[in-house]
Amino acid sequence: EAQVTQNPRYLITVTGKKLTVTCSQNMNHEYMSWYRQDPGLGLRQIYYSMNVEVTDKGDVPEGYKVSRKEKRNFPLILESPSPNQTSLYFCASRLAGENEQFFGPGTRLTVL
Amino acid sequence: LAKTTQPISMDSYEGQEVNITCSHNNIATNDYITWYQQFPSQGPRFIIQGYKTKVTNEVASLFIPADRKSSTLSLPRVSLSDTAVYYCLVGRTGGYQKVTFGTGTKLQVIP
């Protein structure tokens, strides 16, 4: 089944404890992206990538890192999480020549 | 990137046709208009995309006037399951660029 998977789906952590949220797609998509969603603010893009080793900042990249070492994976790294990073996170992917993005199920992160 | 403006919320009764309009005054020549639907705690789902005039699929229709400064998503005969947030996006097809979803339009379908 063609899909985008994220892990973990739920995570409660404490301030300053490094964490990684994984994202993987099995559709051979070139473009991958991370978003965060907060009440009243809609979906905001954190980072995006057009292919292996090519990543760019979205609208809210502060406090986050990403890597794209393999085409199918695009992990989101929080080196030192803070409570303002408590949010619902979505990973998405699409083909290079298309607009339709396919979203993962989301990761609900709480930073205490 | 062209900025989009949508109503924050709309209510509709079951069985009615719903039209959600998106304003994008600064749309560029190469930009397409894409609409997504999002249910609570789920990722957005692509609904429809268009460049000009009218596009229809099994879920919705998209109307785009000649000046392309706005677009209207039309949902025929809505049901309770259409209650969701609808986002309008504008950008080059397949372009490598930031994506801005905005806050979308929250549609509440009433029995």
Side-chain angles (χ1 to χ4, degrees):
Chain A
E1 179 190 356
Q3 60 183 345
V4 178
T5 57
Q6 296 179 226
N7 282 293
R9 294 289 313 280
Y10 303 90
L11 178 61
I12 300 175
T13 189
V14 296
T15 298
K17 186 176 181 182
K18 181 179 178 180
L19 66 92
T20 299
V21 183
T22 64
C23 173
S24 183
Q25 50 92 8
N26 61 2
M27 296 170 280
N28 202 34
H29 286 171
E30 292 87 0
Y31 187 103
M32 297 186 74
S33 190
W34 275 103
Y35 298 88
R36 63 176 289 175
Q37 186 165 39
D38 304 288
L41 296 177
L43 278 151
R44 294 180 293 169
Q45 193 176 40
I46 303 171
Y47 269 95
Y48 58 106
S49 168
M50 70 174 294
N51 218 321
V52 174
E53 303 295 359
V54 181
T55 62
D56 278 283
K57 296 178 180 179
D59 288 323
V60 289
E62 295 78 21
Y64 304 94
K65 286 175 55 177
V66 292
S67 70
R68 189 91 183 271
K69 292 183 169 46
E70 301 169 285
K71 192 174 183 179
R72 64 183 294 133
N73 297 323
F74 191 44
L76 180 69
I77 304 155
L78 285 72
E79 295 270 3
S80 182
S82 63
N84 63 13
Q85 293 178 297
T86 292
S87 187
L88 179 58
Y89 291 87
F90 290 103
C91 179
S93 71
R94 66 167 170 84
L95 286 169
E98 304 287 337
N99 274 346
E100 180 179 357
Q101 293 190 69
F102 295 82
F103 282 80
T107 295
R108 190 168 291 280
L109 172 66
T110 301
V111 183
L112 301 175
Chain B
L1 296 175
K3 179 179 167 57
T4 61
T5 303
Q6 303 175 231
I8 294 174
S9 63
M10 296 178 69
D11 291 337
S12 176
Y13 288 101
E14 272 191 295
Q16 290 190 330
E17 177 185 74
V18 170
N19 295 310
I20 305 174
T21 297
C22 179
S23 173
H24 29 79
N25 291 320
N26 297 323
I27 189 168
T29 302
N30 295 332
D31 285 344
Y32 275 69
I33 300 149
T34 308
W35 285 81
Y36 284 81
Q37 174 192 57
Q38 185 182 25
F39 299 114
S41 297
Q42 294 185 27
R45 182 177 72 106
F46 173 90
I47 301 176
I48 197 167
Q49 174 183 284
Y51 182 80
K52 61 180 179 181
T53 63
K54 177 184 174 182
V55 179
T56 297
N57 61 22
E58 64 278 4
V59 176
S61 294
L62 179 59
F63 299 92
I64 306 167
D67 66 6
R68 304 202 325 123
K69 293 184 184 299
S70 67
S71 58
T72 300
L73 176 72
S74 181
L75 304 172
R77 299 177 59 80
V78 293
S79 64
L80 295 176
S81 63
D82 292 316
T83 293
V85 178
Y86 293 83
Y87 297 94
C88 162
L89 282 70
V90 172
R92 287 182 292 118
T93 291
Y96 183 56
Q97 58 193 354
K98 284 186 193 179
V99 174
T100 300
F101 268 80
T103 54
T105 298
K106 185 171 184 179
L107 172 65
Q108 180 69 52
V109 179
I110 306 163

